[in-house]
Short mmCIF file of all heavy atoms in Angstrom, two decimals:
data_model
loop_
_atom_site.label_atom_id
_atom_site.label_comp_id
_atom_site.label_asym_id
_atom_site.label_seq_id
_atom_site.Cartn_x
_atom_site.Cartn_y
_atom_site.Cartn_z
N ALA E 23 -26.36 13.12 59.65
CA ALA E 23 -27.74 13.62 59.90
C ALA E 23 -28.59 13.33 58.52
O ALA E 23 -29.74 13.10 58.67
CB ALA E 23 -27.75 15.04 60.19
N ARG E 30 -34.40 -2.26 56.35
CA ARG E 30 -34.16 -2.49 57.74
C ARG E 30 -34.24 -3.94 58.00
O ARG E 30 -35.33 -4.37 58.38
CB ARG E 30 -35.26 -1.76 58.57
CG ARG E 30 -35.33 -0.22 58.27
CD ARG E 30 -36.57 0.31 58.82
NE ARG E 30 -36.78 1.69 58.42
CZ ARG E 30 -36.43 2.76 59.05
NH1 ARG E 30 -35.78 2.67 60.20
NH2 ARG E 30 -36.69 3.93 58.57
N LEU E 36 -37.10 -16.77 47.59
CA LEU E 36 -37.92 -16.87 46.41
C LEU E 36 -37.58 -18.18 45.83
O LEU E 36 -36.43 -18.57 45.66
CB LEU E 36 -37.59 -15.75 45.50
CG LEU E 36 -38.75 -14.92 44.86
CD1 LEU E 36 -39.24 -13.96 45.84
CD2 LEU E 36 -38.29 -14.23 43.59
N ASP E 82 -16.49 -9.05 41.29
CA ASP E 82 -17.20 -8.36 40.18
C ASP E 82 -17.34 -9.05 39.02
O ASP E 82 -18.49 -9.04 38.41
CB ASP E 82 -16.20 -7.08 39.87
CG ASP E 82 -16.95 -6.15 38.86
OD1 ASP E 82 -18.21 -5.68 39.10
OD2 ASP E 82 -16.39 -5.84 37.92
N ASN E 101 -34.85 1.84 29.13
CA ASN E 101 -33.46 1.80 28.93
C ASN E 101 -32.96 1.20 27.62
O ASN E 101 -31.90 0.23 27.68
CB ASN E 101 -32.68 1.25 30.17
CG ASN E 101 -32.78 2.05 31.50
OD1 ASN E 101 -32.76 3.40 31.26
ND2 ASN E 101 -32.76 1.49 32.66
N ARG E 145 -35.47 1.65 15.11
CA ARG E 145 -34.77 2.22 16.29
C ARG E 145 -35.90 2.49 17.28
O ARG E 145 -36.98 2.63 16.99
CB ARG E 145 -34.21 3.68 15.92
CG ARG E 145 -33.20 3.42 14.70
CD ARG E 145 -31.83 2.98 15.41
NE ARG E 145 -30.81 2.76 14.42
CZ ARG E 145 -29.75 3.52 14.08
NH1 ARG E 145 -29.65 4.71 14.74
NH2 ARG E 145 -28.98 3.12 13.33
N ALA E 160 -37.29 -8.59 25.51
CA ALA E 160 -36.52 -9.51 24.58
C ALA E 160 -35.02 -9.54 24.97
O ALA E 160 -34.37 -10.46 24.90
CB ALA E 160 -36.79 -9.12 23.18
N GLU E 174 -40.99 -1.80 38.05
CA GLU E 174 -42.24 -1.02 37.54
C GLU E 174 -42.39 -1.19 35.96
O GLU E 174 -42.32 -0.12 35.25
CB GLU E 174 -42.19 0.48 37.90
CG GLU E 174 -42.00 0.75 39.30
CD GLU E 174 -43.31 0.86 40.19
OE1 GLU E 174 -44.27 0.38 39.43
OE2 GLU E 174 -43.24 1.22 41.20
N ILE E 188 -48.04 -7.81 31.22
CA ILE E 188 -48.32 -8.79 32.35
C ILE E 188 -48.61 -10.12 31.83
O ILE E 188 -47.98 -11.11 32.24
CB ILE E 188 -49.52 -8.27 33.09
CG1 ILE E 188 -48.94 -6.96 33.92
CG2 ILE E 188 -49.72 -9.22 34.29
CD1 ILE E 188 -50.04 -6.21 34.34
N ALA E 215 -49.55 -12.04 40.08
CA ALA E 215 -48.57 -12.70 40.87
C ALA E 215 -49.03 -13.86 41.51
O ALA E 215 -50.10 -13.75 42.04
CB ALA E 215 -47.71 -11.57 41.71
N ALA E 231 -44.80 -14.98 54.77
CA ALA E 231 -45.03 -16.28 55.31
C ALA E 231 -44.19 -17.36 54.72
O ALA E 231 -43.97 -18.40 55.32
CB ALA E 231 -46.58 -16.73 55.08
N VAL E 232 -43.73 -17.15 53.56
CA VAL E 232 -42.88 -17.91 53.05
C VAL E 232 -41.48 -18.26 53.76
O VAL E 232 -40.84 -19.27 53.59
CB VAL E 232 -42.52 -17.56 51.47
CG1 VAL E 232 -41.67 -16.39 51.58
CG2 VAL E 232 -42.05 -18.87 50.77
N ALA E 244 -41.90 -4.98 61.07
CA ALA E 244 -42.97 -4.42 60.21
C ALA E 244 -43.92 -3.64 61.16
O ALA E 244 -44.56 -2.60 60.78
CB ALA E 244 -43.58 -5.47 59.25
#
Side-chain angles (χ1 to χ4, degrees):
Chain E
R30 304 162 191 268
L36 228 77
D82 181 52
N101 284 332
R145 298 283 170 102
E174 302 280 11
I188 293 162
V232 72

